[in-house]
Amino acid sequence: MDAKSILDEIGRDHATWIVGSDLAAIDPWIEVAPDGLPEVCRVLRDWPALRMNMLHCVTGVDYFEPDEKKAAKVDWQPRVELIYHLSSLVHKHRIVLKVRLPRWKGGVEGALPEVPSVAGIWSTAAWHEREVFDLMGVRFTGHPDPRRILCPEDWQGHPLRKDYQPPSEYHGIRVK
Amino acid sequence: MTTERNEPMLVEQDVHTDELLINMGPQHPSTHGVLRLVLRTDGEVVSEVVPHIGYLHRSAEKIGENVSARQWVPYTDRLDYLAAMNMNLGWAMTVEKLLGLELPERAKAVRVIMAELGRISSHLVAAGTYGLDLGSFTPFLYAFREREKILDLFEAACGARLTCSYIVPGGVTADLPPGWLEQCEAFLDQFMPTVDDLHAVLTNNAIFIRRTAAVGVLSAETAIDYGCTGPVLRGSGVDWDLRRDGEPRYRELYAGYRFDVIAPVDGRYPNAQNYPPVPREAVVGDSWHRYYVRMIEVIQSMSLVRQAIERYRRTDGPPGTPIKVAERLPKGEAYLETEAPKGQMGFMVIGDGTKVPWRVRARSSCFSNLSVAPVLCRGGLVADVPAVIGSLDLVLGEIDR
C-alpha cells in the first residue's frame, strides 16, 4: 500500500485528527494532532489493511534559530516536531507520522510540551520516548517509566534543543 | 531442559528469602562494554532486571548538527565499532537518499564486499565472546584469529582496522589496491574450517546447548512489539531481512545476488541439510537460535563476498565520487534503515540548504534489542542473565551514541 492509500484509509474515519501531509516528500509523512496520536496509532497497528506492527524510531527535531539575524530569514515557525517511523512486516509498507508541538507548553520557557505516549501500543516506544524526553525535552503523558535514559538523572536541560547551554561543571567535573 | 528451575533439587522455588538487589556492571566482563544491570533476585531467581545505559554517551547526534555530512562519517565508525563498515554504509546511503545520488556498479560491488566482511567479523566477535560469557575460552581465540585477517583486509583497503571511514556518501574513499581481491579470496578459501571448528566447540557442544537452549525465549510477537531486528528477530522465526525486504534504494545494492535469509520457519532453516543439526532441546526464539542464525549468516556472507568479487572484476572506472567536505545538503528529510550485523541500523538526516545538517539521527538496533532484555530475564536464573544478554549481541557504542 502506498502512502496515499494509507492516508485515505486513516482519513475515512479519523480525518479530524489529520492536520497535514506531504506525500511527495522523500519519505511521505502524515501530520497528526497531538491529542489524536494514540487513536491514529491504534488504527495503524490494528486495521487489517494497515497492520503497522513495527515502530522503528521515535525522534524529535527542534526548529528554533538562536541567532537573531538568521532567525529573521527562516521560513518556518519555531516548534518541536516529533517523527515516528512505522512499517508493516505483513504488508511491507511504511509511513512516517509527525506531531507538531510548541517549544514550551503555554509559551512559558522551561515548561515542557506534552504529547500522549504510545508505549502502550508499541513497547519500542517506551525507551525511544524516554530518549526524546531526555535529549529533546518533551513530556510523554501516560508513559510507564518517564525517566532520563542517556544523561544522568540529575542532568539539567535537554541537549538536543537548539538553545541548549551545557553547564560549566557537573559534580566538580569540568564539562566545557 | 536447561534452566531447570522447576527441578526441586536445584532451585527451591517455595522458599522465599529476602529480596536482594545485585548490581551487575558497568565494569562486568559479560556486559560487553559499559552496560549496567540492576537485578532484583530472590535466591537464584531473577524477578526484575533494570538496564541502565548512557555510560558511553558522546552526543553523536548533537555533533552531527555541527559538522558536514562527510565530516560525520568518522563518528559513525564509533557507533557500532565492531562493524564500522556497516555503519559507514548506513550513513552514506542516507545522505545519498537526500541528495538523490545514484552510484556506479563498481561502488556497489565494493560496498557489498565490505559490508559482508564487516558482518562476518561482527558475528565472529559475537560467537567468540558469547563463548567467553559461558565459560569457554577456545572459540574466542579461533574467532579473533580469523577476525584479525578481516581487519588486515580493511587496513589494506583504507588504512584503518576498526574506524574505517571507508564508505562515504558518493562512493568509497579509494579503489581497492592491486592484489586485494586475491588476498580476500585467500582468506575465504581458508576460513571455512574455522567455522566448522566453532560449530564443533560451541554449536553442538553439550554444555553450550544446556546453557543456551530454551533460555531467554523471545516470541515473534514480543520481538516485533519491542522493535527487535536482525538476528534477534530472525532467531524468533520471523523471516525478515532488509537486504531482501528493505527500501528499494538499499535492496538494489543486493539485487541479483543469491543468498538465503536465515530464519527458522516452522522450525526449519532453509537448506538445513548443509548446516549442523538443531538440537532437540532448542526452542525457536531462544538464545541458542539467536547464536545459530549468526553462525549460518557467516556462511551466507562468505558466498556474497565471492559473488561481489566476481561483479567487481566485471566493472571498471572509479568506485564513485565522494561528495565534497562542504557539500550543501538540499532542504528535506531522509531516513534509511540498512541491515547491519546486529540489526536494522537507521539514520536520518534533515538538510536545510546549508552544508551542515539541521538534524542527524541514529536509530540503534541494539537499543531496541536491549529493551527486551528485562522481559527475557524475568523469572530466569541469575546465571542465565549473561547467557541472555550475550545472545543479544550488544554494542554499547551504538546504544549510547
Side-chain angles (χ1 to χ4, degrees):
Chain A
M1 203 180 259
D2 60 1
K4 172 89 175 59
S5 323
I6 293 170
L7 179 60
D8 291 345
E9 195 76 14
I10 314 171
R12 219 185 298 149
D13 288 345
H14 301 84
T16 47
W17 296 125
I18 298 172
V19 290
S21 65
D22 184 353
L23 302 180
I26 300 175
D27 292 312
W29 50 266
I30 297 172
E31 193 191 329
V32 181
D35 292 337
L37 184 68
E39 199 177 318
V40 171
C41 285
R42 221 165 263 122
V43 167
L44 281 166
R45 186 192 64 176
D46 294 338
W47 278 19
L50 297 169
R51 291 293 299 281
M52 297 281 185
N53 51 1
M54 191 177 272
L55 173 66
H56 291 260
C57 179
V58 182
T59 191
V61 187
D62 185 17
Y63 284 94
F64 178 74
E65 180 55 69
D67 186 298
E68 278 180 25
K69 268 187 192 163
K70 285 185 191 166
K73 289 183 197 158
V74 297
D75 54 357
W76 37 253
Q77 292 296 313
R79 64 180 187 274
V80 166
E81 199 168 273
L82 297 179
I83 305 180
Y84 298 74
H85 291 270
L86 301 170
S87 84
S88 166
L89 269 56
V90 186
H91 300 304
K92 297 194 180 182
H93 54 219
R94 64 182 74 80
I95 196 71
V96 179
L97 288 189
K98 288 193 178 189
V99 177
R100 279 187 190 198
L101 300 171
R103 292 192 77 243
W104 304 110
K105 189 184 177 186
V108 183
E109 191 141 334
L112 300 184
E114 290 179 356
V115 68
S117 167
V118 293
I121 299 170
W122 297 282
S123 303
T124 338
W127 276 32
H128 277 95
E129 287 176 350
R130 275 177 70 184
E131 189 184 324
V132 175
F133 161 67
D134 186 359
L135 302 181
M136 192 56 77
V138 173
R139 207 173 289 288
F140 291 87
T141 53
H143 191 283
D145 187 18
R147 289 181 296 137
R148 284 182 183 267
I149 189 161
L150 293 178
C151 295
E153 283 184 31
D154 58 352
W155 195 258
Q156 298 292 320
H158 303 280
L160 281 180
R161 288 280 183 133
K162 293 280 180 183
D163 53 356
Y164 172 73
Q165 291 295 330
S168 52
E169 68 162 27
Y170 173 74
H171 293 295
I173 306 164
R174 201 160 60 85
V175 174
K176 268 185 182 169
Chain B
M1 165 84 199
T2 45
T3 26
E4 299 169 49
R5 52 194 203 79
N6 296 327
E7 227 171 90
M9 293 291 287
L10 286 175
V11 181
E12 295 184 53
Q13 295 274 333
D14 301 336
V15 182
H16 287 281
T17 53
D18 277 345
E19 270 192 347
L20 190 64
L21 274 179
I22 300 178
N23 186 55
M24 182 175 164
Q27 276 90 18
H28 190 280
S30 78
T31 54
H32 296 239
V34 281
L35 170 65
R36 175 172 159 235
L37 299 170
V38 176
L39 316 179
R40 186 181 295 277
T41 63
D42 182 1
E44 286 291 303
V45 179
V46 178
S47 57
E48 191 188 8
V49 174
V50 182
H52 291 265
I53 59 175
Y55 293 91
L56 207 55
H57 180 51
R58 295 146 297 172
S59 324
E61 293 177 7
K62 188 78 175 177
I63 293 170
E65 296 175 3
N66 293 283
V67 297
S68 74
R70 174 80 192 268
Q71 285 173 320
W72 203 59
V73 173
Y75 292 94
T76 64
D77 289 334
R78 286 143 180 91
L79 297 176
D80 180 355
Y81 41 75
L82 298 175
M85 287 287 188
N86 304 73
M87 298 293 113
N88 296 164
L89 178 68
W91 173 242
M93 293 193 73
T94 310
V95 175
E96 287 159 11
K97 184 176 175 178
L98 180 66
L99 293 166
L101 287 183
E102 290 299 328
L103 260 62
E105 284 301 317
R106 197 180 184 86
K108 289 184 183 172
V110 176
R111 286 179 169 195
V112 171
I113 294 173
M114 290 306 172
E116 297 307 315
L117 283 176
R119 193 180 316 277
I120 295 173
S121 90
S122 168
H123 285 351
L124 281 173
V125 176
T129 54
Y130 197 33
L132 273 188
D133 291 346
L134 301 176
S136 161
F137 196 66
T138 312
F140 176 76
L141 298 174
Y142 288 174
F144 270 63
R145 184 189 64 205
E146 296 307 312
R147 175 172 173 264
E148 281 302 302
K149 295 172 189 165
I150 297 179
L151 299 187
D152 287 344
L153 286 169
F154 287 169
E155 189 177 11
C158 67
R161 297 166 67 80
L162 276 177
T163 51
C164 303
S165 296
Y166 179 57
I167 300 171
V168 295
V172 295
T173 53
D175 203 354
L176 297 173
W180 194 92
L181 294 176
E182 291 70 27
Q183 199 187 337
C184 183
E185 281 174 328
F187 161 74
L188 294 173
D189 289 339
Q190 57 82 53
F191 178 51
M192 197 57 206
T194 304
V195 178
D196 293 333
D197 285 347
L198 283 171
H199 282 312
V201 292
L202 285 179
T203 315
N204 292 330
N205 177 319
I207 301 170
F208 181 77
I209 292 171
R210 282 178 68 96
R211 287 296 309 275
T212 57
V215 170
V217 181
L218 174 64
S219 71
E221 293 74 33
T222 312
I224 294 169
D225 185 35
Y226 276 86
C228 298
T229 48
V232 177
L233 180 68
R234 289 192 285 278
S236 293
V238 181
D239 189 19
W240 185 261
D241 188 319
L242 289 185
R243 288 175 290 173
R244 187 194 63 198
D245 306 311
E247 282 187 42
R249 175 170 279 278
Y250 180 59
R251 217 163 51 205
E252 271 167 21
L253 193 63
Y254 287 89
Y257 287 91
R258 295 178 308 280
F259 66 101
D260 290 326
V261 173
I262 304 302
V265 177
D266 301 325
R268 283 182 55 81
Y269 283 88
N271 295 317
Q273 69 281 3
N274 299 331
Y275 308 132
V278 176
R280 270 181 295 110
E281 300 91 326
V283 185
V284 169
D286 65 2
S287 303
W288 188 88
H289 275 280
R290 286 191 281 278
Y291 157 82
Y292 187 71
V293 164
R294 286 187 196 102
M295 287 306 292
I296 306 302
E297 279 185 6
V298 166
I299 301 170
Q300 294 293 323
S301 293
M302 286 168 68
S303 153
L304 280 168
V305 175
R306 282 188 198 277
Q307 294 175 48
I309 289 176
E310 284 310 307
R311 280 204 192 188
Y312 179 86
R313 287 202 166 115
R314 289 201 301 271
T315 60
D316 50 15
T321 320
I323 62 168
K324 295 193 294 286
V325 173
E327 183 97 10
R328 281 182 188 280
L329 298 177
K331 280 189 183 181
E333 304 175 10
Y335 179 80
L336 183 75
E337 284 194 1
T338 56
E339 189 72 37
K342 293 171 178 70
Q344 296 173 12
M345 183 71 201
F347 286 99
M348 185 175 74
V349 57
I350 299 183
D352 65 346
T354 66
K355 62 185 182 192
V356 177
W358 181 258
R359 175 87 165 90
V360 163
R361 162 81 178 150
R363 181 266 184 203
S364 156
S365 53
C366 296
F367 185 80
S368 295
N369 289 351
L370 173 63
S371 71
V372 83
V375 180
L376 299 184
C377 295
R378 196 180 302 140
L381 300 180
V382 177
D384 287 340
V385 173
V388 170
I389 298 293
S391 76
L392 296 173
D393 188 20
L394 305 168
V395 154
L396 270 293
E398 193 194 305
I399 293 175
D400 293 344
R401 285 156 285 147

